[in-house]
Amino acid sequence: MRPGYGAVEARAAGDAIRHRINVKPRVGIILGSGLGGIAQTIEEPVRMPYRDIPGFPSATIAGHAGELVTGILGGTPVAAMSGRFHLYEGHSADLTGFPVRVLHALGAAILIVSNAAGGVRASLAPGTLMLITDHINFMFRNPLVGPLQAGDTRFPDMSEPYDPALRAVAQRVAKEQGLDLAQGVYAAELGPSYETGAEVAMLTRLGADAVGMSTVPEVIVARALGMRVLGLSCITNLACGLSATPITHDEVLETTAKVAARLQRLVRGIVSSL
Ligand code: HPA
């Protein structure tokens, strides 16, 4: 691991943030592309741009707000990272997991991750919300590679990376809200190119339902720290080969904009029953 994004740095960032916020977050939230709207619904918000968080890279990320928003959501103290660090931007795997270390240092025992993803299973139409049941790491990177960090498990068990009890809460809340919530396996690949048709055919055979370019490093760090994880994908497009039209990032953002309100309601409902 390159120095800079481990337990010591997370503790330092946590200490600096704690002095500026009014809550002790129980739930950490990471918001994917176009899904930052949830952060706008947090009450009594305290916002910190990433450049004010010690240890965070100062470079801003195109299309991402890049701020930490703490406050109350559905009656629960939360800390939401609006904007994440992707491997495809050239960031190291340990940095992609660093925001999770910071959320944990602030006191969050639960992590909710959201992302935009392509539908590999043909029945996952654009606009579908999918509860992540499991993942496949096709990034071939792991944020835990390197010296063992204080508080980490060296060899984390990954049999239930997405907490069954939290998944049950998500399903119950979705039902109460009359919301269709699909379920499936999320495959993470490095990007930034989208998959080829042959790669999507491979992913289908290997058991993936959706594909994206994030989330998995964050979930691995969360599990190493013993956090319970809930993952939600917003299916923004059919994966390559399943649709006649090419995939564009604009299409991804357009669909997330349409689905954002539903996801927002779902996350608020879930958080309020934790
Ligand atoms: N592939 C990979 N990542 C994505 C996609 C996709 O089709 N859609 C949104 N993120």
Side-chain angles (χ1 to χ4, degrees):
M1 180 182 292
R2 282 187 272 176
Y5 302 118
V8 172
E9 293 78 11
R11 206 174 315 123
D15 289 345
I17 295 165
R18 209 171 296 115
H19 288 119
R20 293 188 40 179
I21 66 179
N22 310 319
V23 294
K24 182 171 189 285
R26 279 185 52 221
V27 180
I29 306 173
I30 295 183
L31 301 166
S33 301
L35 300 171
I38 293 171
Q40 309 306 317
T41 67
I42 292 175
E43 293 146 38
E44 302 165 43
V46 173
R47 302 172 184 283
M48 282 183 74
Y50 282 177
R51 64 172 175 277
D52 290 352
I53 301 178
F56 271 40
S58 52
T60 53
I61 313 147
H64 291 80
E67 61 174 6
L68 171 69
V69 185
T70 61
I72 305 290
L73 185 66
T76 302
V78 300
M81 295 278 182
S82 185
R84 53 158 49 105
F85 302 110
H86 298 92
L87 288 171
Y88 67 71
E89 292 169 291
H91 296 308
S92 60
D94 46 339
L95 173 56
T96 59
F98 187 61
V100 177
R101 293 194 181 281
V102 174
L103 292 170
H104 181 259
L106 291 174
I110 292 175
L111 178 70
I112 300 180
V113 275
S114 63
N115 59 48
V120 168
R121 193 170 81 217
S123 60
L124 292 177
T128 305
L129 289 178
M130 185 188 91
L131 181 62
I132 305 178
T133 55
D134 205 344
H135 72 224
I136 301 175
N137 185 359
F138 268 117
M139 292 171 151
F140 303 108
R141 310 269 181 90
N142 193 304
L144 306 181
V145 169
L148 178 63
Q149 298 298 304
D152 279 16
T153 299
R154 174 77 293 191
F155 303 109
D157 171 68
M158 292 298 277
S159 53
E160 296 277 17
Y162 301 88
D163 190 82
L166 292 179
R167 277 154 53 195
V169 170
Q171 279 166 324
R172 177 175 55 74
V173 171
K175 202 164 168 206
E176 285 165 8
Q177 296 184 350
L179 180 115
D180 277 335
L181 185 60
Q183 292 197 66
V185 174
Y186 175 87
E189 48 115 51
L190 187 59
S193 48
Y194 290 118
E195 307 68 40
T196 66
E199 286 164 348
V200 171
M202 174 195 74
L203 291 171
T204 308
R205 289 195 191 100
L206 295 182
D209 297 298
V211 61
M213 304 174 190
S214 68
T215 303
V216 162
E218 295 148 359
V219 173
I220 291 172
V221 168
R223 293 305 299 142
L225 288 165
M227 297 172 81
R228 297 166 63 207
V229 179
L230 182 77
L232 294 163
S233 285
C234 166
I235 306 296
T236 53
N237 56 279
L238 293 169
C240 179
L242 303 178
S243 148
T245 52
I247 304 164
T248 64
H249 188 56
D250 286 347
E251 175 191 12
V252 169
L253 293 180
E254 237 168 71
T255 312
T256 48
K258 283 186 203 145
V259 182
R262 263 188 290 147
L263 182 73
Q264 237 160 272
R265 235 177 115 224
L266 178 63
V267 170
R268 174 184 282 269
I270 293 167
V271 168
S272 67
S273 49
L274 294 178

